[in-house]
Amino acid sequence: METHQKALLSCCRKKVDEFTSAKALKFVAKMLEENPKLFHLCDLQIDESDVAAVSIGSLTLSAFGDLRQPGSSGSAAVESVASLLNALCLRLTMFYDARMKQSGVETSRARIRQILAKSMVQASAVLAPMSSGHGGSSTLGSSAKTANTQLDIRDHCYGVVCTLARSTFCLDERGALYDCGNSRSFPENTNQTHFNRTLKSISTASMLFGCVANEVEMLRPRATSALDALLSAYVRVVTSTSENARRIDDGKSNTKTESIPTTSTNPWADIRINDAVVDKKNDNTKEIDGLSRSLAPLLWTSSRRSQPKSSRLAAVRWSNELLIHLDAKNAIHLLCFLSGDDDATVSMIAKKALGVESSLGDDVTFNETEWSNSSEAILSSVTFTELMETIVGRAAEVIPGRPKFAEFVVPAKAATCRFMLQSLFSEGSFYGQESCASAVDDYVMAILGTFADYQGRSLSREESDLLDECSICLESCVSTFRETRVALTSSEICYGFNDIAGQAVLSISSKTRRHLSRIMGCLYEDHCLWNDASDLSEKFSISQWLEKSGLLKNAEMCREILEKAFESSFVACEVHGAAFLGSSCLRAFRLGDANGTAEDSHDVSPTITKCWSVCSRIVNLLGKGLMHADEVIGNACAQGLVISFSYDGHDAPILNPFLYEGFALALNELNSALKKFNSIDHADPTRASTLIRAAGVLLAASTSGAGSRSNTEDVSVDLGPARLQCTEALFSILGGAAYRKDEELSLAVGEALAAYADAFGNAKWSNESEIWPDDYDEVFAFDLPPHQHVLYTLFQREVTHTNPLKRNASAAVLLALVAHASRQANLGRMDRAMVKQVSKNINLFQNSFIKLLSDPKSKQLSRESCCRGLAACRGLAHTLGDDGGILNERLLKAFGQTTYGGSAMIETESQARERRNERDGADADFPETEIGGAAGITESALGAFREMAAAAISLGRPDTVYSLLILSTSHSAWLAPRNRDKYNERSLLGNARAENSVSVRNALRPHLGKLVPRLLRACNDPNKHTREQMNSLWVALTGGGAESRAVITQNFLSTIDALIQDAVCSSWRARAGACSAISDIIVGRSWDELGGGGVVVDDDGEKMNTTASIRLIRLWRSALRALDDVRLVVRERGEVLGRSLRALTIRLCDPSVLISSDDTFLSDSDQMKKDREIEVQAEYAAAVSLGWLVKYGLNAPCPEATGICISCLLGIVDVSKPTTLQPVLAELCYALLMAMSGLEPAALNYLQVRAAGDSNSGGSGNDRYDNLERIRIQAAMSGPIATALNKCLEMVKHVDLETQQKLVPVFDSSLRTGAGFATRAATADAVSNLSNSCPSAFRFKGISSVNPTVRLLRALYYASERERGITAKDKMTHALGNLAALAPGSSVRQLVIKACKRYC
């Protein structure tokens, strides 16, 4: 009895010292961390798991409360129990999440929830002092060890908050996570949903924001991490609330929410469902509003500039991810304020949330989407008027601590201006029913006030950027809203149009000058602004307009400044501004004169005459400035000419005779500038690009004065000849020095020539010619109208030029012309002369594109221009009423097969002539295809296009080839903003387009099983051009990246089977491409992905059921054939395939690589079953691979193939288990023994024999022979093959007796047939090893020569007799002795008697 009492007393809890308790708690925490399946659902019953979780949790919380007493905040025991609490919460949250997925365990969830809530209370109690800024006071005067302990305690508490916030505990209806662990209970009959209850408090958020602001630097990242986790929890709750509200709107309020299943089992419990739904929806709205009102002051306080960076960073993230969904108006206000933060990360996040990160400072283009999807969603939830009232401050209410636009820093003002502009032009404000006229006025007044604040001041870089942004925004408003233009002409505003004109010249920013000049142009061109009559229908008067707008005054000022640009001293910024402002004045006056009244058309008043004189002088000066030494001024003059003579209609306005003189001089200067910056010494692609665009506009504007000559004798240049010289200068750009630096200049030249050719669409030309000479005639070309002049010169001179650079550049020019014609036809302007001329020569365009496409010296832009040009030809023909059958047939014949088995583009001249003769006899009306006889063209140049044509034909949709051609282009030129809409599929194909890229991709999805092998093979074609073209097509069709891998996985079996067939076909290009494609797609594949199934050692034929075994064998056969191919390229690809196949085979045979446990709560039995399945698959793969490699791979005639097979075999042996190798162990050992000498270099044997017979060197020949033999044997025994053989021999003792006995005949055969002493020495070692480890393997019945042991004994005896080298003979003698102990006695005695007779 006394013994039992002592035992009971020893089991009672005892109070221990701090050191012991800290160690014990650390041990328990380590157990929790290292055992993720502590509360295992399958190994324990539900009640048992609950008891374990609740008991451990209660004890931990009790220990935390007991140890955390006043004065013990820095003890080691408290740090240990905090670590234990962190580990416990990690395991309990996993257990809680698993319980949430089960039904009928509400009591279990409630118990665990209470433990987690209490854990949150304890962690909040530790962190609360730091939140208030008093957490660091307790460490004053304490030791460094105590301070570090306190840091560790808070670190663990932050971990507790992170763990709870990232689990489904954040969706608990009592909201303990958000109220520092304080749970709330609600009446059962309340109408509030559980989402509403979680949004009641922000106590935890306030605490963590305080911690982030006051925490020491070492722990501030941990506090920030906890705050981020709490933000994610809030986002989950708000998202669930929104989803629940949508379900209510859809009448599905009884649907289960994310975390809390429906507890009521009676669907008829509440018959007033409609009222309940309305109440719940209203409650959701009220609670979200309450949360936003609570969060907004907290975030504004944290975003103050006096707060640390981490606090401001948290504020911007909370505003972007949470508050924006609760209260978009106030969130945008806060984000606008933070966009000017001193920290780059904070401002970047704010700008990105507003959608102005990439557009800030760029010009506005209303035909493109300038804001991100997130910004677009923001703009749809709040109106422009509301934003103006909140940010700029129209409302009388001003909330302290929330600055308005006027109080923002300079970068924040710039971001706010751009965001407000995007909001103004969003669909809700611009196209909606909202009347925002007064808000627009306030917005414009705010911008003008900003200009007035910085007028006459020296500006910093940020202030200059702000004025740039203000000028961009103001220009957008002026060009869109007439009310804004009226306001700028008013005399009551602080910054009027006269101030804008002055700023357009004097501003230090080129961007500001450019946009302010455009604003003045918009004001000048709105003639109604300057009309005094109340009736807006009164006729326009040029004299009145010039007098009131001040246009002549500004034009004279610009002329004076431009004249100073050619003096020794000038102000560059003023000249730059004068070029833009003067061009705006010139454009407005030129277009205004075209719209003048009848009385003004005969008005020769001095004012108008003077204005024309000034404008002519400005044109002359702009032309003279094209070759200015200052690049900025030269580009400004070129852009000024573009602005001056640009027009909005389809036809260029009639050029006024007053401008002939200045215009001719400008054209002459432009011609000289084009030649200069295209020369070798001064090649400048940037300046050439602006000059080309200016040339296109000037040529189009001067078409009406093509034959005019100057009226003055002192002018040496006439308008007509100047135009022709400028056209020739444009053609000289093609293939010139500037083109070599930037090939995209050819596209700019094409657009300039297209504008020149289509300047007058319906004009009647007196010198049109339907018949063109066969050879180029310059005189004839100059007499043609513009649209014929351009086409004649291109087809007769440029396309057939001997210079390959000229031919390359011609492709882009042809594309620009046919694309322009296709766009005009799609818009219904088919009666224009240029469109008619292009459509009449559509066959020439197609033949030229095909010819240039097959040019062996074509570059990427040239090839892709041909691809898009062929599509434009199809679109133009379809728009004009042609069904496209002839074009399709000619194109597919060029890409596809002919009578001679190849493409028509690689025929010889005789073959092409014969084909045409045969065709002409069959059908005389068939249009001739002049594409034969292209010298030097090989099949490789057409690989990509042949594959596209074959794909379109196999799908039965020939028109698809045009979409595929467009999808295969990837040059950056097509993605440029200026070209994106001009050369996309919609513009080129029009109504003839099959679908857009997304629709084409979806339409081809059912056929991808057939297309993927063909595309992958072409993507790895040996020809570089084919690879580039098909890679672009592959990315366009499949999406690239993860989407492409998913497409391959979905069609893997059909793809791999087709590629295996292609890898052994007759075409060497197909073999090379298939091998490379296979090596890419087999990486990381599993046995099931290869087809699954059992073991099949031999592939008897294609009629067999194709399993993973068959595919693996076929892959090895294809790889070995590729390694022994006659083509070097195929052999190189075969090496890559062999390495990939080796890695795949070893991976399939290694069960440790394939075993994974993704599910933490997977039961032991399920895990064992899963592991066993993987091991079985590994055994299948090893049996198939070893069987085929031993039987066929090691006997391959190609040494490279044999080497890769040996390497793979060694890798399999290294990772396999004995049970896996048992079926092929005997054959494997024989193969390894024979490989010991088979893979040894023959030079070693030659060296050894020569050394033994060399009598000139010192020493005995036998000694030299033995020394070399010993070295060779040591090298062989230390190699990888010997290592694999030793591992196989170690596995022998783990296999059955029958397999062991199969090795004895193998050893006998290797001794008798081995060609080298390395094989014989290795066999002797193997016999010695096996006789010691597995003696039963040598015990056979019988003593005759049929006994394998007796045969092996005799083989060893005779081999040792014949062996010359002492090292190998010693090994054989040793093996003979070991085997003699196991062999039958009579057989041993016979050999002993024979040895005695011979040697005694």
Side-chain angles (χ1 to χ4, degrees), residues 1007-1127:
H1007 309 283
L1008 283 180
K1010 298 179 181 179
L1011 293 180
V1012 168
R1014 189 184 299 272
L1015 294 176
L1016 287 176
R1017 189 191 66 200
C1019 287
N1020 293 275
D1021 193 87
N1023 184 261
K1024 178 183 177 182
H1025 294 171
T1026 302
R1027 288 198 307 271
E1028 293 175 352
Q1029 207 81 15
M1030 296 308 293
N1031 278 322
S1032 302
L1033 177 60
W1034 170 258
V1035 173
L1037 279 179
T1038 61
E1043 295 182 13
S1044 296
R1045 292 191 292 271
V1047 170
I1048 295 175
T1049 302
Q1050 293 172 2
N1051 304 276
F1052 181 74
L1053 294 181
S1054 60
T1055 300
I1056 196 69
D1057 290 340
L1059 289 176
I1060 290 174
Q1061 294 179 2
D1062 293 338
V1064 295
C1065 70
S1066 58
S1067 174
W1068 69 272
R1069 294 185 180 278
R1071 296 198 302 271
C1075 289
S1076 184
I1078 292 174
S1079 63
D1080 290 338
I1081 67 175
I1082 63 175
V1083 176
R1085 299 296 175 180
S1086 64
W1087 185 259
D1088 290 334
E1089 287 179 320
L1090 288 175
V1095 177
V1096 178
V1097 180
D1098 290 323
D1099 181 14
D1100 296 335
E1102 298 181 357
K1103 294 183 179 181
M1104 299 177 58
N1105 184 21
T1106 307
T1107 60
S1109 302
I1110 299 298
R1111 288 190 176 90
L1112 192 59
I1113 293 173
R1114 291 177 180 175
L1115 285 172
W1116 273 110
R1117 184 185 296 116
S1118 302
L1120 297 190
R1121 288 190 61 176
L1123 287 169
D1124 197 22
D1125 199 274
V1126 295
R1127 290 277 186 172

Side-chain angles (χ1 to χ4, degrees), residues 808-994:
N808 278 332
S810 300
V813 178
L814 290 173
L815 168 64
L817 291 171
V818 71
H820 180 84
S822 179
R823 289 194 299 270
Q824 295 293 335
N826 292 332
L827 295 175
R829 307 183 190 121
M830 293 172 285
D831 56 342
R832 300 184 68 82
M834 189 257 190
V835 177
K836 292 179 180 179
Q837 190 66 33
V838 171
S839 61
K840 186 183 302 181
N841 296 278
I842 194 69
N843 292 338
L844 282 176
F845 275 96
Q846 188 185 44
N847 289 337
S848 299
F849 282 131
I850 295 175
K851 198 74 174 179
L852 294 172
L853 194 62
S854 62
D855 195 317
K857 295 185 179 181
S858 64
K859 303 299 181 182
Q860 181 184 1
L861 182 61
S862 176
R863 294 194 307 272
E864 295 187 3
S865 297
C866 293
C867 292
R868 291 181 179 258
L870 289 170
C873 291
R874 174 68 182 95
L876 178 60
H878 182 273
T879 306
L880 297 176
D882 188 357
D883 59 355
I886 297 177
L887 288 176
N888 294 346
E889 184 175 355
R890 296 173 68 241
L891 181 63
L892 294 177
K893 180 172 290 187
F895 289 166
Q897 297 296 317
T898 66
T899 308
Y900 303 97
S903 171
M905 294 182 351
I906 63 171
E907 293 175 337
T908 62
E909 289 286 356
S910 60
Q911 290 175 340
R913 193 179 304 110
E914 182 179 351
R915 173 175 56 80
R916 295 179 189 128
N917 293 334
E918 294 176 355
R919 186 195 60 208
D920 291 341
D923 186 3
D925 295 333
F926 194 89
E928 185 173 355
T929 307
E930 295 293 341
I931 53 177
I937 304 303
T938 62
E939 191 71 17
S940 62
L942 307 175
F945 311 105
R946 185 180 61 250
E947 297 293 345
M948 295 179 200
I953 293 174
S954 64
L955 296 178
R957 303 173 60 181
D959 284 345
T960 308
V961 70
Y962 299 104
S963 296
L964 295 180
L965 285 172
I966 295 178
L967 290 177
S968 66
T969 57
S970 60
H971 198 277
S972 58
W974 318 123
L975 302 177
R978 293 187 67 250
N979 301 329
R980 192 177 305 159
D981 294 335
K982 292 181 181 179
Y983 303 104
N984 59 12
E985 187 177 15
R986 182 181 298 274
S987 298
L988 298 179
L989 286 175
N991 296 328
R993 68 184 187 277

